[in-house]
Amino acid sequence: MNPALLAELLEARRGKETVVLATRLGDGAQVLLRPYGEHDGAGSAADGGWPVAEARRALEEDRSFVVETEAGDVFLRAYNPPVRLVLVGAVHIAQPLARLATEAGMDVLVVDPRSAWATPERFPGVHLVHAWPQDAIPGLGPDRRTGVVTLTHDPKVDDPALVAALNTPAFYIGALGSRGTHGKRLARLREEGFGDEALARIHGPVGLDIDARTPAEIAVSILAEVVAESRKPARRERA
Amino acid sequence: MHVNADEDVLAQAAAWRGGGHAVALATVIGTWGSAPRAAGSHMAICDTGAFVGSVSGGCVEGAVVHEAREIMESGEPKVLEYGVTDDMAWEVGLACGGRVSIYVEPVS
């Protein structure tokens, strides 16, 4: 790889751009594709015989693979921006969850209107948003690579967060709370006008069932479920 | 700011290169059966023999480092294949029984 191209790739990653590094295996020719870019890439790259549509598929499935082209085999390395995880409630469980999710490469945000909870001391290096979730979440613009987890089990914080999340294409929505708590929560959301299909998007009780007890263990179970959900598009493709 | 593991590998490759070293980048381009690192996983190799990242569970990294040093000298990229059908399976094969295809290129 040309060092200038490596620098361009690193710059794109730091800027959280969505890019694909295309490498022609026969002669080592390389180009950085921006399949969603308005100005850069698509037109001229397609002219150069680079597989732009396949590059888009690699990004959508968050997978890297070799495709055959008229100019020979091309390896497409998809670089999506990190998965974003929005934690609602700067509670104890949010602390190990923020750490573990960061370690797994995710961008973590903690939303809590109570500034005494969402402090830099409790969440070093984590982006803290001191606002009510109904005000904060729409502004964050959750997309298909964003997960939202409510952790306060206080309906006046969690419910508006879930309502806001259900109105977005977030790939994961989880709500902490027992089966009983979750049942009551679903009943309240139903009164807000959400149907079965919408409510089925909420993972509750949150996380994989690993008999977690401590905050760190519960964080592991939630993170495991978030990872599993994030991989579903690629999994469907392999099946 | 947190950087994920593959980004660290690329950044390290750039840093070695910036320090005047010869550098190679190895990338998993395909896997068959069970393989511990998915396509796209990176490993950077410095001419000092130092390396970061991984392309398997530790099974073939030694062989890749060896090949990488030749590629730094020749300047020609190469596709390496490792798997149970490989002659060297016992020495550098994948204990998991999978097969992996790795693209190794000079950063130059």
Side-chain angles (χ1 to χ4, degrees), chain A residues 108-203:
Chain A
V108 182
L109 294 93
V110 174
V111 176
D112 198 313
R114 305 165 295 182
S115 51
W117 291 67
T119 65
E121 290 74 29
R122 285 162 53 83
F123 295 91
V126 174
H127 184 175
L128 303 173
V129 182
H130 295 133
W132 286 90
Q134 60 270 41
D135 299 325
I137 289 177
L140 295 171
D143 58 14
R144 289 178 199 287
R145 291 183 54 81
T146 304
V148 179
V149 186
T150 62
L151 297 168
T152 72
H153 45 55
D154 178 346
K156 75 177 179 298
V157 180
D158 285 0
D159 284 10
L162 293 168
V163 168
L166 285 169
N167 288 321
T168 74
F171 76 92
Y172 181 88
I173 302 173
L176 185 75
S178 67
R179 272 188 185 78
T181 303
H182 191 59
K184 288 179 204 151
R185 174 185 294 140
L186 292 181
R188 288 193 303 272
L189 290 171
R190 216 176 281 281
E191 281 180 19
E192 300 261 341
F194 290 99
D196 289 344
E197 202 179 322
L199 296 180
R201 289 177 64 200
I202 304 175
H203 294 262

Side-chain angles (χ1 to χ4, degrees), chain B residues 27-73:
Chain B
T27 305
V28 177
I29 59 170
T31 65
W32 296 264
S34 81
R37 296 300 321 270
S41 303
H42 292 303
M43 173 168 133
I45 305 102
C46 183
D47 60 4
T48 59
F51 65 93
V52 290
S54 65
V55 288
S56 75
C59 323
V60 305
E61 274 78 0
V64 172
V65 168
H66 181 77
E67 293 274 359
R69 303 189 76 155
E70 286 180 12
I71 286 159
M72 287 173 207
E73 284 185 18

